[in-house]
Structure formats: structure tokens, C-alpha cells
Amino acid sequence: RGPGGRGSRCRVLRHALAVGTPMAEILHGRRVIFDVGQPGEPAISIEGLPIAFDIQFKADGKPNQGSVVIKGAAVDLYSAAAAKGAVVRVAAGYGTPKLIFTGNPLPRIGTRYRHDGGTRVLDIQALDSGNKYAVTTLDLSVSGQTDAGEILQFAAAALAVPLGPVPPEISSVIFAEGYYADGLVRSELNQLAEIAGFSWSLRDGALMVVLDTGDSGEVAPVLSTETG
């Protein structure tokens, strides 16, 4: 089960630290904001500290992964990130930063606080919607005709996340005799993906699907002397 046979597709965003260089020179005008907190509660938000990130956007049935390193982080930032159910967010860009990652630190091993010389360093490893990905189940029984697009709606509802655009080719896959699912949502989505010919991922807290023969429709950023 699962779309593993089609190979994985991954897009990576990185921003590295340059030790000993002033922040204004490191970022070249780009802003990086890091938030951490509990769902529905005020978050701790920081900007201006040396922050490195490595974000991997996936379309292979696994959550996007994020690695964040913050130098000069206070202890309360570590405590907030290590708390059960914590959510972290990274936004970056010129002018108004754009959200590029939101996720849950990995339990037990996802948050580490260390000293590098005389500098406090916070390391965070997180998965986009990782808590929901790990444990959410789909208990579904549709007796009448349904389609793959409708099943995706049920899966998104079980995960309690929005469903991104669904290509019409997916909704054209019909289950005339109904549909039954009883297991982890990720396993059921893998099986549905094999049948309907798409890849899926949890991205920025939403369920996203892309046809195996298509793409996400996003426009790649232009890198130039004007944009940095």
C-alpha cells in the first residue's frame, strides 16, 4: 500500500547561519520569524536572533519536515517547544514574511537545548501536522456511490485540516458499490492514492493532493539581484 513505488518528490528551502556576521548582513534584508505555542493560545514570537532552517516539502504521503536552529534562544522558548502538543511556525521573506512551515516537534527527540561555546542553541525537528499524521484514524462506510474526491473530504475532516484543491481527474474516479475504510488515515490515503493516481502530503496544516501526471500549479520564485 502507498505511493512509494512512484518515487518521492521533495522541494527544499534552506537558510543557513553565518557565524560572526551581523544579522543585517546575513539576511540581506530578509526577515525570519519563529513562533511557538499551543493551539488556540498566544504564541511566543521571535525575530532578530540568528535562525537557520531546512524545510522539505514532500508529496510522497509523508508530512513535510522542518529543522530549525536558533542561537541565543532563552530557556522559555525551549520549554514551549518541548511541551506536549506544541506547534511551531516559520515565516520568511522580504517585506511581509510568508509562512513556509508549521508543524509539531517530534516527541522526546524533536527539541534539544545545548551550549555552543558561550551561546545557547535550540535545535528543533518537526513534522507538518505530525501529531495528526501519527495517530488519526478513518472509520468510514459509504453504502451508495461515491468518488475519490469525496473520500478525500472525509479524510481531511478526520484529520481536522482543510483540503486543498482537488483536480477533477481525482473526483472522476467512481466507487459505484460504495467505500469502506477502517484504519490510520495515512494508510487509507496511500491506498486511495494508488487507485486514483495522485500523491498527497500535509502542508502548512492542510491536506494537499497532486496528480501523478501533474504538478501543484505553483509558480517558482525568481532569483535575481533585485529579489536577493
Side-chain angles (χ1 to χ4, degrees):
R1 296 171 68 167
R6 295 189 296 274
S8 72
R9 289 176 282 177
C10 178
R11 183 162 62 91
V12 180
L13 289 181
R14 289 191 174 94
H15 169 73
L17 293 170
V19 179
T21 306
M23 281 302 296
E25 185 176 338
I26 294 172
L27 299 178
H28 301 286
R30 178 163 60 167
R31 298 173 60 195
V32 180
I33 300 175
F34 174 81
D35 299 329
V36 59
Q38 293 292 320
E41 298 181 6
I44 300 175
S45 183
I46 64 168
E47 180 180 3
L49 290 178
I51 300 176
F53 59 79
D54 187 337
I55 311 299
Q56 299 182 10
F57 298 108
K58 298 191 172 186
D60 61 356
K62 296 180 181 179
N64 297 332
Q65 298 179 22
S67 173
V68 184
V69 179
I70 304 172
K71 289 197 171 186
V75 175
D76 61 341
L77 200 66
Y78 164 76
S79 299
K84 184 178 180 180
V87 176
V88 299
R89 297 188 302 178
V90 178
Y94 300 93
T96 302
K98 177 184 177 181
L99 179 67
I100 59 173
F101 180 77
T102 178
N104 306 109
L106 295 170
R108 297 182 297 279
I109 61 173
T111 308
R112 188 163 67 100
Y113 198 58
R114 58 186 173 86
H115 284 79
D116 183 3
T119 304
R120 295 167 298 187
V121 179
L122 176 60
D123 295 318
I124 297 175
Q125 303 290 329
L127 293 179
D128 196 332
S129 304
N131 293 345
K132 296 174 181 178
Y133 173 86
V135 302
T136 303
T137 60
L138 180 62
D139 184 5
L140 177 65
S141 179
V142 180
S143 58
Q145 177 174 300
T146 186
D147 60 70
E150 186 173 31
I151 303 304
L152 283 171
Q153 294 178 23
F154 286 120
L159 290 165
V161 300
L163 175 63
V166 178
E169 293 89 342
I170 294 178
S171 297
S172 68
V173 177
I174 304 298
F175 301 101
E177 303 299 324
Y179 194 91
Y180 174 79
D182 181 19
L184 291 171
V185 174
R186 64 176 187 265
S187 299
E188 300 299 335
L189 281 171
N190 285 344
Q191 178 171 284
L192 184 64
E194 289 283 0
I195 296 171
F198 66 85
S199 297
W200 68 275
S201 66
L202 290 170
R203 176 173 172 184
D204 296 338
L207 175 58
M208 308 296 291
V209 295
V210 178
L211 285 172
D212 290 341
T213 56
D215 56 49
S216 66
E218 296 173 291
V219 178
V222 176
L223 300 180
S224 68
T225 55
E226 288 76 23
T227 64

